[in-house]
Amino acid sequence: MNKYTRAPSGENSTMPSDVDGKPGLFDRFASGAAALTSKAAFFVFCVLMVILWAPTFVILPSVDTWQLVINTATTIVTFLLVALLQNTQSRSEEALQQKLNAIADALADLMNELSTDYPELGNHRTELIDAVGLENRESA
């Protein structure tokens, strides 16, 4: 069973309401970086960095050095942001998957309860369980 499948009765399963809500230091930093870099102010900062870099060709000894400065700076920023934003995206996708699994789980339980009155729901419930990867379990 993977972390997205429904746990049998008596086992722990991670549901959206079970999430601790206390992300670690790196997760908080990555979330803050994602929030900061998604704002217009960060874009303005990037534009200002290029504007400030452009006239430095007068100070730097060669055009190669001048280009190396901006290439190095942008490569470092890009490298770090990709790592931070990937962390944020992965956590977001996991949270979304947990919510979808909780919805499918609740729907399967509802279909199970109503299947005595509506026998065709039993087949639909089986299809849902197979499609989403939920495991059969006894209701708690």
Side-chain angles (χ1 to χ4, degrees):
M1 174 172 65
N2 66 34
K3 65 181 178 179
Y4 297 120
T5 57
R6 187 174 182 181
S9 182
E11 287 186 24
N12 292 334
S13 66
T14 304
M15 299 301 281
S17 59
D18 297 334
V19 175
D20 187 3
K22 297 177 184 175
L25 179 64
F26 181 75
D27 291 339
R28 288 193 313 267
F29 177 72
S31 294
L36 177 71
T37 58
S38 66
K39 297 184 187 224
F42 183 76
F43 179 76
V44 170
F45 168 76
C46 292
V47 170
L48 286 175
M49 187 171 79
V50 172
I51 290 172
L52 292 174
W53 161 79
T56 61
F57 73 91
V58 198
I59 302 168
L60 296 173
S62 71
V63 172
D64 290 340
T65 305
W66 179 68
Q67 289 176 337
L68 184 62
V69 167
I70 195 68
N71 289 341
T72 303
T74 57
T75 300
I76 290 169
V77 169
T78 302
F79 178 72
L80 294 175
L81 284 178
V82 165
L84 292 173
L85 297 178
Q86 183 61 44
N87 172 276
T88 303
Q89 181 181 359
S90 296
R91 287 185 293 114
S92 177
E93 287 176 5
E94 185 175 339
L96 179 61
Q97 186 63 52
Q98 289 176 355
K99 290 174 185 178
L100 290 172
N101 287 341
I103 292 169
D105 186 35
L107 183 58
D109 287 346
L110 178 63
M111 293 169 91
N112 189 42
E113 288 180 25
L114 296 175
S115 65
T116 53
D117 296 332
Y118 304 96
E120 69 275 4
L121 282 179
N123 294 334
H124 296 307
R125 179 180 180 274
T126 303
E127 290 176 12
L128 174 67
I129 288 171
D130 291 342
V132 212
L134 295 173
E135 294 180 348
N136 290 318
R137 69 170 174 92
E138 294 178 16
S139 296

